[in-house]
Amino acid sequence: AQSVTQLDSQVPVFEEAPVELRCNYSSSVSVYLFWYVQYPNQGLQLLLKYLSGSTLVKGINGFEAEFNKSQTSFHLRKPSVHISDTAEYFCAGAVPVNYGGSQGNLIFGKGTKLSVKP
Amino acid sequence: NAGVTQTPKFRILKIGQSMTLQCAQDMNHNYMYWYRQDPGMGLKLIYYSVGAGITDKGEVPNGYNVSRSTTEDFPLRLELAAPSQTSVYFCASSPLGQGRDGYTFGSGTRLTVV
């Protein structure tokens, strides 16, 4: 992806409510897309990824995301959040090498801080 | 299984000093990466490596150097520290290029330059 935009810097939500974290990408060719989660004072860990095929991708901890090519979006969703989901979430994208991307070219969005309140 | 190990966890440097951030992985991954994370800015790629002896610049390489003499180790060198290098640094590795199988991140090094 040439760019990845996360539309919300902070999302507050109550426990057991559904949540959607929004991500848009810019690419004129095929693209790989990822969501990562970062808990306080830790490194990032992979939640889920879209490489090709089915546009609905399921990840760990009950999260899922849908690749929408026409809207250039890859929004992350969870039907019911827990306090333990409080973290920062990063969307990332890369153009495949066979479409002109480089091996190191995984671009991260600026992050969305999810705050789950009791 | 340690994964990706970064040392030190914290460091305070004076302007003009030099230091090396260490990164080691025990998963036999060919691909390794250095990112810096600044508040509200996401992660920016500094350097990456596709295998021992092969490195390349990322988006923000100025002021940094790397080497990759073995598959396991990928140290990041800061030669003349500047306040603009105050950041959290993450090392990551992956078995496939472009993180197609996901990156494994270290726990980070928090660097302050004063």
Side-chain angles (χ1 to χ4, degrees):
Chain A
Q2 280 92 9
S3 68
V4 172
T5 302
Q6 292 183 243
L7 299 166
D8 306 293
S9 59
Q10 298 188 50
V11 173
V13 65
F14 286 107
E15 193 174 18
E16 297 184 4
V19 70
E20 178 180 83
L21 306 183
R22 298 181 294 166
C23 173
N24 285 102
Y25 68 92
S26 168
S27 176
S28 57
V29 297
S30 180
V31 64
Y32 298 143
L33 293 164
F34 309 82
W35 275 99
Y36 281 83
V37 60
Q38 183 180 34
Y39 299 104
N41 299 314
Q42 294 185 25
L44 284 69
Q45 63 185 82
L46 181 67
L47 271 180
L48 49 78
K49 63 183 179 182
Y50 170 80
L51 302 182
S52 65
S54 174
T55 56
L56 183 62
V57 180
K58 294 189 183 296
I60 62 171
N61 301 339
F63 284 93
E64 64 180 34
E66 185 162 17
F67 172 66
N68 189 319
K69 187 175 181 180
S70 62
Q71 298 189 1
T72 61
S73 68
F74 190 56
H75 300 334
L76 181 70
R77 301 184 181 102
K78 186 170 183 178
S80 176
V81 294
H82 303 291
I83 298 288
S84 58
D85 292 321
T86 295
E88 191 161 17
Y89 292 79
F90 291 91
C91 183
V95 173
V97 170
N98 55 340
Y99 283 90
S102 76
Q103 294 287 5
N105 197 20
L106 182 62
I107 295 173
F108 284 84
K110 294 184 178 181
T112 298
K113 291 184 178 178
L114 175 64
S115 175
V116 181
K117 305 175 187 302
Chain B
N1 190 350
V4 176
T5 302
Q6 290 184 240
T7 56
K9 293 192 184 303
F10 305 93
R11 183 72 186 268
I12 298 174
L13 275 183
K14 293 184 178 179
I15 294 171
Q17 286 185 323
S18 300
M19 77 164 293
T20 298
L21 282 65
Q22 301 291 345
C23 175
Q25 54 95 3
D26 61 359
M27 298 169 286
N28 203 33
H29 287 173
N30 282 325
Y31 299 86
M32 296 188 74
Y33 314 84
W34 273 106
Y35 285 89
R36 60 176 288 171
Q37 182 181 29
D38 300 299
M41 299 302 295
L43 279 76
K44 303 289 186 184
L45 181 66
I46 305 170
Y47 272 95
Y48 69 99
S49 170
V50 302
I54 306 170
T55 63
D56 207 349
K57 295 178 180 178
E59 184 180 357
V60 291
N62 291 344
Y64 307 95
N65 276 301
V66 294
S67 60
R68 183 99 181 268
S69 56
T70 66
T71 299
E72 294 77 21
D73 299 300
F74 191 41
L76 178 72
R77 178 83 177 161
L78 282 71
E79 287 296 346
L80 293 170
S84 61
Q85 293 177 305
T86 294
S87 188
V88 181
Y89 291 84
F90 287 101
C91 179
S93 72
S94 66
L96 300 175
Q98 301 183 301
R100 282 170 289 158
D101 224 23
Y103 285 3
T104 299
F105 280 85
S107 56
T109 294
R110 186 174 295 273
L111 176 67
T112 303
V113 181
V114 297

